[in-house]
Amino acid sequence: MNSTNFSRRDWLKKSTLTLGALTLIPTEIWSSNVLKAQKENRTFLYNTSNYFNEFTPPVIKENESLVILRANENPYGPPPKAAKAFQDEVFIGNRYSWKTLEDLMETIAKNEGVKTDQILMAPGSSDILEKVAMVLFQKGGNVISADPSYMSLMIVAKAVGGQWKSYKLLKDSQHDLDAMEAGIDADTKLVYICNPNNPTGSITDAKKLRDFCSRVSEKVPVFVDEAYIELSKNGLKDSMNTLVAEGKNVIVARTFSKIHGMAGLRIGYAIGKKETLDSINEITRGGMGITGPSIAAASTSLANTDFLDDCKAKITAAREYTISFLKAQNFSYLPSETNFVIFEIPMDGKEFLQKIYGKNVAVRSFQFWDKNWCRVSIGTMDEMKLFTKAIGEIFA
């Protein structure tokens, strides 16, 4: 990744014109798009000509009884010990948290097999995706990714002048690595891989992906978004972190928002080549945006593997229950190794959202591949039973 003469001040000037919404955290960006689309009575959230889009949810007054299955959150929350660490750290919130951040980075470096100067901390991994896009695409170029995929990086890349080249997933829902590699041209500045993929939940074979990343990173940087990898069958064994340790031009991003149950605490990190991360740091202050209590909670959670294993087991059981229901009702679904499942719905997406929100269940609905889909996050078993009851009634 080549750095350019683009200062933090220059970025702030440009962001005022094109990226004002990106000062918000990802859920707030989504919420702001929802409010605008609802006000304008749009079918879709985004004004885009891409193959992928999201249906606008209905206007409702949300209450405490609403079953929220739309943001892929861990329904069991952060580990109790992490919550206690967060609470304790509040009482020394008058102090900066550089030392505790350094301690956390040392722990991460040991876990990932890299040096601390190969780690970039941020308030969530989406923040890293967006900053990478700002650095790379300010002077144009294209980013290659799957169709569909998590859109945060691509949206920002297009906002600052880049283009998106998408390649449809294979029939088994894995990335079409051959097509993506063949699509690299002189203007390609990044290949983005979300694995497991969002919104499909599918995972690409680790050996094939590792070979791809090793080879392609000799041409252009490869960004591997592993937000959901701990939830997959093989977990961190399928991570691309070993390529970073080998010196490959690969960025691997992780978050504490999913398996760690800290979506609202905003903390994530990336590992990569030192010079690559240094170029991102030219427009961001990295860990400066992370609060001390969040650092304390993350550090504690990393050491509390029993709780994380228990969460994964419960989420997996609830996911399998949901898949069994979908299979019995003859819904076509995509294979998932995450805390969400996506399946085809024989109904207009906006109409479907109106009906399911009417049953006090909140999910997401997308359109891609000329089909309408429901993506449901995996909640507790009781929540999934409420969801399947609602689906059964809607499509009776």
Side-chain angles (χ1 to χ4, degrees), residues 39-215:
K39 185 177 180 180
E40 297 174 359
N41 196 30
R42 296 204 310 259
T43 298
F44 296 107
L45 290 187
Y46 308 105
N47 291 316
T48 176
S49 59
N50 292 331
Y51 303 113
F52 175 84
N53 217 321
E54 180 173 357
F55 287 96
T56 303
V59 179
I60 67 165
K61 185 176 181 180
E62 296 192 5
N63 54 64
E64 292 183 359
S65 65
L66 181 68
V67 180
I68 299 177
L69 303 173
R70 65 187 175 203
N72 303 341
E73 298 150 331
N74 183 340
Y76 304 104
K81 291 180 181 178
K84 178 64 164 55
F86 182 98
Q87 183 182 37
D88 291 345
E89 195 74 10
V90 168
F91 296 104
I92 54 172
N94 59 311
R95 304 295 183 188
Y96 289 111
S97 304
W98 293 120
K99 181 59 173 66
T100 52
L101 182 61
E102 289 173 2
D103 292 342
L104 173 58
M105 291 174 67
E106 288 177 2
T107 298
I108 292 171
K110 183 178 179 181
N111 291 346
E112 303 290 356
V114 299
K115 298 177 181 178
T116 54
D117 61 8
Q118 292 180 276
I119 299 171
L120 175 67
M121 302 300 302
S125 59
S126 290
D127 183 80
I128 296 170
L129 270 66
E130 291 156 5
K131 295 302 183 353
V132 167
M134 291 173 195
V135 169
L136 280 183
F137 297 100
Q138 54 187 288
K139 292 186 178 180
N142 66 65
V143 55
I144 288 175
S145 83
D147 166 25
S149 190
Y150 185 58
M151 290 299 296
S152 181
L153 189 149
M154 277 73 78
I155 289 172
V156 178
K158 292 176 69 175
V160 298
Q163 295 182 333
W164 176 38
K165 294 176 68 175
S166 61
Y167 293 86
K168 185 177 178 179
L169 296 173
L170 297 169
K171 289 183 178 180
D172 62 1
S173 297
Q174 295 193 50
H175 285 75
D176 190 342
L177 299 176
D178 291 339
M180 293 173 74
E181 184 172 3
I184 296 172
D185 58 31
D187 294 323
T188 302
K189 293 187 175 180
L190 186 74
V191 174
Y192 172 73
I193 304 280
C194 186
N195 194 52
N197 191 40
N198 182 13
T200 61
S202 50
I203 194 163
T204 296
D205 179 81
K207 184 181 184 306
K208 292 179 181 178
L209 181 58
R210 189 170 288 109
D211 291 343
F212 170 87
C213 292
S214 179
R215 185 173 61 252

Side-chain angles (χ1 to χ4, degrees), residues 168-285:
K168 185 177 178 179
L169 296 173
L170 297 169
K171 289 183 178 180
D172 62 1
S173 297
Q174 295 193 50
H175 285 75
D176 190 342
L177 299 176
D178 291 339
M180 293 173 74
E181 184 172 3
I184 296 172
D185 58 31
D187 294 323
T188 302
K189 293 187 175 180
L190 186 74
V191 174
Y192 172 73
I193 304 280
C194 186
N195 194 52
N197 191 40
N198 182 13
T200 61
S202 50
I203 194 163
T204 296
D205 179 81
K207 184 181 184 306
K208 292 179 181 178
L209 181 58
R210 189 170 288 109
D211 291 343
F212 170 87
C213 292
S214 179
R215 185 173 61 252
V216 169
S217 62
E218 298 297 323
K219 307 173 187 177
V220 295
V222 181
F223 192 118
V224 186
D225 183 349
E226 295 184 347
Y228 298 93
I229 192 129
E230 294 97 336
L231 289 155
S232 67
K233 181 179 179 180
N234 292 333
L236 293 175
K237 289 185 290 187
D238 282 350
S239 175
M240 297 297 112
N241 59 357
T242 54
L243 295 174
V244 178
E246 293 170 10
K248 299 291 185 178
N249 198 6
V250 174
I251 304 170
V252 175
R254 299 267 180 74
T255 182
F256 286 84
S257 296
K258 305 306 175 185
I259 189 64
H260 292 275
M262 300 184 191
L265 304 190
R266 309 313 304 144
I267 184 165
Y269 66 92
I271 60 173
K273 295 182 72 173
K274 179 182 181 300
E275 53 267 37
T276 298
L277 302 187
D278 285 347
S279 68
I280 303 170
N281 270 322
E282 291 184 6
I283 67 160
T284 180
R285 300 185 71 180

